[in-house]
Amino acid sequence: KILSAVEKLAKSMDTTILIDGESGTGKEMIAKFIHQNSPRANGPFIQINVSAIPRELAESELFGHKKGSFTGAVESRKGYFEIADHSTLFLDEIGELPLTTQVKLLRAIETNEFMKLGAETVSKVDVRIIAATNKDLQKEVDSRRFREDLYFRLKAVSLTIPPLRKRKSDIEELAKHFIKSYCENNRLTVP
């Protein structure tokens, strides 16, 4: 059912998608599949693990900055939104994004515009957002750790990927895939 839905979603250029599920369920693979089968496939698949970005640098990483906009900004830098223009931006672990940056992300999704740190002009982009989380974002909203308006904007389409223990029929295919991959990487004959 999920793969059937994903094939249809891939054809759409602009639909924002929220993928949730436990760690290791294949959220990133689903996001890549959507990108590779979309009209944006010629552009890069830009993937960011939000939890790996230091909180104080989140806005700069996503939207870029101008030289001198903060201590240590010795040169201007593009953010991931600008790098992903006309392509797909995958925001993994979106539940870790600081509240202050969530406001700016919401605006960027709604208007396709953002301002770099230290900039005086607005930048316009055409980016498809796919976000993923292993957190219950509704609980995060209820606890006021995640903006409700951003949550609803992200989940224009929502996919829940069940854990492998609930889709045991996939185990054989996954085992074959990993054996083949291992053999190819080590120049061995696939058994």
Side-chain angles (χ1 to χ4, degrees), residues 33-47:
F33 179 87
I34 292 169
H35 170 72
Q36 291 167 348
N37 291 280
S38 77
R40 297 176 184 270
N42 290 335
F45 177 75
I46 304 299
Q47 174 182 341

Side-chain angles (χ1 to χ4, degrees), residues 42-56:
N42 290 335
F45 177 75
I46 304 299
Q47 174 182 341
I48 298 102
N49 184 331
V50 174
S51 65
I53 301 173
R55 297 180 83 71
E56 61 278 0

Side-chain angles (χ1 to χ4, degrees), residues 70-141:
F70 57 87
T71 305
V74 294
E75 61 186 15
S76 294
R77 183 181 175 281
K78 287 182 178 182
Y80 292 118
F81 261 80
E82 194 172 353
I83 294 168
D85 194 19
H86 299 291
S87 197
T88 303
L89 180 59
F90 177 54
L91 300 171
D92 198 8
E93 302 303 341
I94 191 69
E96 301 297 327
L97 192 67
L99 278 167
T100 53
T101 309
Q102 290 179 27
V103 175
K104 200 163 184 178
L105 175 60
L106 176 64
R107 176 164 170 69
I109 292 171
E110 289 177 339
T111 65
N112 291 321
E113 296 177 342
F114 65 92
M115 284 184 73
K116 291 181 178 187
L117 285 172
E120 296 175 0
T121 58
V122 171
S123 296
K124 188 134 180 88
V125 290
D126 175 18
V127 175
R128 179 188 209 165
I129 302 293
I130 302 175
T133 184
N134 61 8
K135 288 186 171 187
D136 182 336
L137 285 188
Q138 184 60 59
K139 284 184 182 176
E140 295 297 301
V141 167

